[in-house]
Amino acid sequence: MAASVARGEDGIAFFEKKIRPVLIESCYECHSVEAGKRKGGLYLDNRESLLLGGDSGSPLDMDHAAASLLVRAMTHEPDVEAMPPEEKLSDAVIADFEKWIAMGAPDPREGSAPVEEAAEIDFEEARKFWSFQSITDPEPPEVSDESWPRSDIDHFILAKLESKSLRPAQDADKATLLRRVTMALTGMPPTIADQDAFFVDESDGALAAVVDRLLNTKDFAERWGRHWLDICRYADTSGGGRAMPLPDAWRFRDYVIDSFQKDKPLDQLIREHIAGDLLPADTPEQRNEQITGTGFLVLGPHNYENQDKALLDLEIADEQMDTIGRAFLGMTIGCARCHDHKFDPIPTRDYYSMAGIFLSTESVRHSNVSKWSTRALAPDPEVQARYDAVAKEESEIEMRLKELKADTDRLAKTIKSPEPLGILVDDTEAEFVGNWPESAKVRPWFGSVYRHDDRKHKGEKRGIYRTKIKKAGRYEVRISYNGQNGRSRTVPVTVAHSDGESVVLVNQRQEPGVDGLFHSIGFYEFGEGTATVTIGTKGTSDGHVIADAVQWISEGAEEEPVNEEQKEKATLWAELQKEKKALDARKKKLEKEKPKLPTTMGVLDASSAEDTAVRVRGMAHQLGETVPRGFLQVVDLGAGESSSAVGEGSGRLELAEWVASPHNPLTARVLANRIWLHLLGEGLVASPDNFGFTGSAPSHPELLDYLASRLIENGWSAKKLIREIILSRTWQMASDGADNRAAAVDPENMLLWKAKIRRMYAESLRDTILVFSGDLDTETTGPSLPKGFKSEFDYEFTTKRRSVYLPVFRNQMHEMFTTFDFANPNFVVGKRSDHAVPTQSLFLINSPFVHESASAMAESVLEEGEVSDGLLLEQTWRTILGRNPTEEEAKISLEFLRAERAEMGQKAAWAAVIRGLFTCVDFQYIR
């Protein structure tokens, strides 16, 4: 209504005469593009901006004009900002505005809501910021103490310390070092055999040998794959109120773990995440990997029930860009959705340039409840052959079933029911208690239809058949039904006769014996008067109850002479029905035998790739100017590479190459910083997901560039960079230190003068306890969610597989994950929280899991046989803490053990000792 009025001549004339002059004179000074002012976020010089509104929302209320924010501002109401502020407009003018709004705010002014131009950002100046400058390959600096460094990394650390006249801490002892490296690389503890082998190896290459061994284990891939999954916001449910299961998410998890085991170059991993489906592949296996890699784009938390599908598309694209920005570029791109980024050089135009790429990508398939995009994977040849064979037989069965239906339908029209013998009451004449739907689905039946109980309200329903017996005597009673699977085996039929009542149970799955339609339930004496037969439903929960016709036949009555033609037709019809029944059974069996072809979460290019419009103030339906697809202008690749060339497709392939380019100043730095963080507990950039103006500056910028350069030079190999860092003397320092001056000058250890004490991750804590108890399920790969999984909200975690294979839920995580700061799967998490709260100690003290594990470990300790308490205690300490107990620790523990044993028994005493070690700081923390 308002739209039509707005275009009417009377409405436009009213606007031109009464409204526009007031806006120009009293409003444009603070609310127009020409004046360069948008007070309160509101432009009033074009219709689109006026309808869109400002920071306080829309200024117009067409249904209640006087309540409009614009009118209330003009009347200078106390709870809104006055407009104009200096002097209140006349009552007549305000009345005109009320009338105009009530008319639907007719307004002939054209034009889109203006968008701030990216040209306002000085990109050349912005590129002087450290993270946007090209990566250098700095030479290791000279140091005064040439005897200390073992690697180039050590030169960078020591030079910084020497500039502050500080000294690094001493080297960590071998026991500490072995536990540290084993936990860092695998998330698992070193065994006593590992300890013995390392302690006797006095060679210079002892640690290198351990590192090389661990880097080639599945445990390493699972540990470092989990680090990567943190930034991929991996989960097995969609989040939100419904929290729909993501049954194929595990394929992405296994793909990531496999990629780290193979040491897939990190730049290639990024390319596959963004555009794996668009990359060339040499084999079906490689193709499967790359498609699975794009699951990265659809793993985010989304409300698929959102009925505004345009908004849902924009929300998904926004989350994808934000994830790519934080995970690989260290940039908060999502902040530019509504306006130019407040801090970083990312204009809104750049945001929608990238959004056009993802809005040209099929990530979701819409319906009432939309669903993430899935892709078919190439199965194993054997599976494909089995699938094809079953599919072929299914097709043949379907063709034959169609032929049978046509034949039986045609035959049924020519079959005539014999004239009923005796007295017959059809279902149309019976009395039914409850709802008995009519049906003509399954032949044969008597009359026009038959009834069934719909398998509902069993025991309450019954069909009552009554007739008048004119001549007393003995009668046979028959009921008709069409027998087949799905019927009840125990249908109670009650016959009221001269001697009382008789109840007969009828198996309606069996075909009736008389003409394939009637079933005899016996002979009974009947007197003159009303005879009743009741078909009941009590005790028939195993299937449907059929009620068709009931027949009373006087004993000795002669059957109608058989019509041979009709008999032949009936026989043929029965044979066809039998064949159909067999084919239906075979079809069901094939459904179970048919292998399920693999699918994975993944994206593909949309049918048409298009540039998209800027959404004014981030609103999905408020379209501004259209911008070409592209990337962040502030990132200059140099080296003759284009920063914004997008071809005919979505642009994801070009985006992937841009992000993973060795000339992109952000990506290699971000990845090198992440590796450093996981190995030393703190990044050289303390804000690993934010390399922008509000992030932290690098503590050692030259070292960061050195590491980024080494990552690129070594083919983006994570393993090679990890190895180099671990073999540095910096990484091998003790955590307690000895330089009191360093502790005073640098209490936060920003200069890295000692190692950082770090708490175990939640999954390492759980996995390690399972290893000690002997209960760890070593099965790897495969689905996280069990068959028949419905909801995360009542899920019980019973599996004892390694934690990386546990389901990750967005609403209800494993108790240990929640307690010990597992990564929030709704966000990119470059660095986990590290809280120390009472609930953690309480969990380790009281958890049934810990008690059961300690008891199981106690059993294995006692299996050693006749071994002294002291030796058993030493082995227990070495198993759990990776070291021998001190003399004082051994004394206290033995006293405790003997006291507990006297009171609770041998096994319980050892379990108590083990629980004590589980709760101690030296177990929970890595020094």
Side-chain angles (χ1 to χ4, degrees), residues 282-310:
D282 297 327
T283 64
E285 291 76 18
Q286 184 184 8
R287 180 72 174 159
N288 284 352
E289 273 190 37
Q290 292 173 176
I291 291 175
T292 301
T294 66
F296 168 84
L297 293 175
V298 286
L299 277 170
H302 301 299
N303 177 21
Y304 290 102
E305 296 175 278
N306 191 338
Q307 296 303 301
D308 187 339
K309 302 308 179 183

Side-chain angles (χ1 to χ4, degrees), residues 684-696:
L684 295 172
V685 178
S687 54
D689 307 327
N690 184 0
F691 276 39
F693 283 66
T694 58
S696 302

Side-chain angles (χ1 to χ4, degrees), residues 298 362-365 371-375 600-604:
V298 286
E362 184 181 295
S363 301
V364 62
R365 293 171 183 174
K371 190 178 181 183
W372 53 92
S373 175
T374 57
R375 301 288 306 275
T600 190
M601 301 174 72
V603 302
L604 67 160

Side-chain angles (χ1 to χ4, degrees), residues 210-522:
V210 171
V211 172
D212 291 339
R213 172 176 61 82
L214 295 176
L215 285 173
N216 288 303
T217 62
K218 181 80 169 183
D219 288 339
F220 165 80
E222 291 166 339
R223 166 73 165 181
W224 281 75
R226 182 59 252 183
H227 290 327
W228 193 262
L229 293 173
D230 280 6
I231 65 171
C232 294
R233 78 281 189 240
Y234 174 83
D236 292 287
T237 54
S238 66
R242 180 175 290 198
M244 294 186 290
L246 307 176
D248 290 328
W250 64 272
R251 293 191 189 276
F252 179 83
R253 178 206 63 206
D254 286 358
Y255 150 86
V256 167
I257 292 172
D258 184 62
S259 295
F260 274 88
Q261 185 149 25
K262 295 175 180 174
D263 198 23
K264 180 178 289 184
L266 296 184
D267 63 333
Q268 178 65 13
L269 199 54
I270 291 173
R271 289 189 187 93
E272 291 177 4
H273 286 350
I274 299 174
D277 57 314
L278 304 176
L279 295 172
D282 297 327
T283 64
E285 291 76 18
Q286 184 184 8
R287 180 72 174 159
N288 284 352
E289 273 190 37
Q290 292 173 176
I291 291 175
T292 301
T294 66
F296 168 84
L297 293 175
V298 286
L299 277 170
H302 301 299
N303 177 21
Y304 290 102
E305 296 175 278
N306 191 338
Q307 296 303 301
D308 187 339
K309 302 308 179 183
L311 176 59
L312 178 57
D313 285 337
L314 186 61
E315 295 286 357
I316 291 173
D318 176 82
E319 196 274 340
Q320 290 168 334
M321 289 188 292
D322 190 62
T323 300
I324 290 172
R326 294 177 188 271
F328 308 138
L329 303 172
M331 299 300 295
T332 54
I333 298 173
C335 296
R337 172 174 170 174
C338 303
H339 46 67
D340 287 355
H341 200 295
K342 294 296 186 184
F343 304 102
D344 295 333
I346 306 176
T348 303
R349 287 175 57 90
D350 282 10
Y351 174 94
Y352 287 99
S353 288
M354 289 186 69
I357 294 173
F358 293 102
L359 292 172
S360 296
T361 299
E362 184 181 295
S363 301
V364 62
R365 293 171 183 174
H366 290 309
S367 59
N368 180 42
V369 177
S370 299
K371 190 178 181 183
W372 53 92
S373 175
T374 57
R375 301 288 306 275
L377 297 176
D380 294 333
E382 182 181 338
V383 173
Q384 184 67 60
R386 214 162 63 239
Y387 180 90
D388 292 342
V390 172
K392 181 182 178 183
E393 186 175 353
E394 284 180 327
S395 177
E396 292 171 350
I397 287 174
E398 283 297 330
M399 289 180 63
R400 179 55 185 155
L401 284 173
K402 287 181 180 178
E403 293 173 355
L404 283 174
K405 186 177 186 309
D407 290 344
T408 54
D409 286 350
R410 188 166 50 250
L411 189 60
K413 292 177 182 178
T414 67
I415 297 177
K416 297 179 181 179
S417 299
E419 287 298 320
L421 187 65
I423 305 168
L424 188 139
V425 178
D426 195 11
D427 57 278
T428 55
E429 304 167 285
E431 175 189 344
F432 286 94
V433 176
N435 182 35
W436 289 73
E438 295 181 349
S439 180
K441 183 178 180 181
V442 179
R443 284 186 177 275
W445 63 83
F446 192 89
S448 58
V449 293
Y450 62 92
R451 306 287 186 107
H452 63 87
D453 70 344
D454 206 22
R455 293 195 70 169
K456 295 177 180 178
H457 305 293
K458 294 288 191 178
E460 301 175 12
K461 297 181 177 183
R462 58 188 184 276
I464 305 167
Y465 292 75
R466 295 186 178 91
T467 189
K468 290 287 187 182
I469 301 293
K470 296 180 179 180
K471 182 179 180 182
R474 186 173 173 81
Y475 287 79
E476 180 185 13
V477 178
R478 299 175 181 176
I479 66 170
S480 68
Y481 65 87
N482 36 40
Q484 68 164 21
N485 288 335
R487 308 300 194 220
S488 173
R489 298 183 181 92
T490 56
V491 178
V493 180
T494 304
V495 181
H497 48 79
S498 298
D499 299 324
E501 288 187 351
S502 297
V503 179
V504 179
L505 296 181
V506 178
N507 182 355
Q508 291 195 343
R509 294 193 181 185
Q510 294 180 349
E511 183 177 332
V514 181
D515 298 329
L517 178 61
F518 280 94
H519 172 77
S520 175
I521 56 174

Side-chain angles (χ1 to χ4, degrees), residues 592-798:
K592 295 178 181 179
E593 294 177 356
K594 192 175 185 179
K596 185 178 180 181
L597 294 182
T599 58
T600 190
M601 301 174 72
V603 302
L604 67 160
D605 272 6
S607 56
S608 63
E610 298 176 351
D611 298 333
T612 196
V614 171
R615 302 319 194 262
V616 180
R617 304 179 70 77
M619 306 296 286
H621 301 285
Q622 298 295 335
L623 306 183
E625 64 174 311
T626 298
V627 293
R629 282 164 290 147
F631 322 129
L632 302 184
Q633 298 177 65
V634 71
V635 177
D636 182 13
L637 299 186
E641 295 189 44
S642 171
S643 294
S644 60
V646 172
E648 294 182 357
S650 64
R652 279 187 296 117
L653 183 59
E654 294 89 338
L655 176 64
E657 294 295 346
W658 177 80
V659 173
S661 169
H663 302 293
N664 190 313
L666 296 168
T667 309
R669 282 191 178 114
V670 168
L671 297 181
N673 188 64
R674 293 196 187 285
I675 291 173
W676 182 271
L677 181 153
H678 291 309
L679 290 173
L680 285 97
E682 193 69 67
L684 295 172
V685 178
S687 54
D689 307 327
N690 184 0
F691 276 39
F693 283 66
T694 58
S696 302
S699 59
H700 297 70
E702 294 82 8
L703 175 57
L704 179 60
D705 272 19
Y706 169 83
L707 297 173
S709 297
R710 294 288 289 160
L711 179 64
I712 295 170
E713 290 166 9
N714 287 322
W716 297 77
S717 164
K719 287 186 178 181
K720 289 180 180 178
L721 187 58
I722 290 168
R723 186 180 192 277
E724 182 174 352
I725 293 173
I726 289 179
L727 295 181
S728 69
R729 195 165 190 176
T730 297
W731 193 85
Q732 298 172 37
M733 284 191 289
S735 60
D736 50 2
D739 191 337
N740 292 330
R741 185 174 179 277
V745 173
D746 181 24
E748 299 296 324
N749 193 29
M750 298 299 294
L751 299 176
L752 303 177
W753 55 274
K754 66 173 182 176
K756 177 181 172 68
I757 299 175
R758 305 174 59 192
R759 196 182 69 201
M760 280 191 197
Y761 276 2
E763 53 265 53
S764 292
L765 198 61
R766 175 182 174 275
D767 295 345
T768 298
I769 291 175
L770 283 172
V771 167
F772 295 155
S773 69
D775 289 334
L776 182 69
D777 182 346
T778 56
E779 179 187 359
T780 62
T781 73
S784 305
L785 303 177
K787 288 184 178 180
F789 175 85
K790 299 296 183 184
S791 170
E792 65 179 79
F793 295 106
D794 57 356
Y795 184 80
E796 292 185 16
F797 292 88
T798 57

Side-chain angles (χ1 to χ4, degrees), residues 63-137:
D63 296 322
H64 304 91
S68 294
L69 189 60
L70 181 61
V71 173
R72 294 172 60 211
M74 288 179 171
T75 55
H76 287 201
E77 290 190 8
D79 59 336
V80 297
E81 188 173 356
M83 290 179 56
E86 297 84 4
E87 184 178 355
K88 179 182 172 183
L89 296 172
S90 70
D91 292 343
V93 169
I94 296 173
D96 287 340
F97 271 84
E98 281 192 43
K99 181 179 179 180
W100 172 66
I101 294 170
M103 294 167 64
D107 187 347
R109 295 173 300 169
E110 301 293 342
S112 300
V115 178
E116 295 179 12
E117 294 294 331
E120 295 176 6
I121 297 175
D122 186 340
F123 289 110
E124 289 303 318
E125 184 64 27
R127 292 186 185 112
K128 295 178 182 178
F129 188 69
W130 71 267
S131 64
F132 299 127
Q133 295 180 32
S134 297
I135 296 172
T136 62
D137 189 4

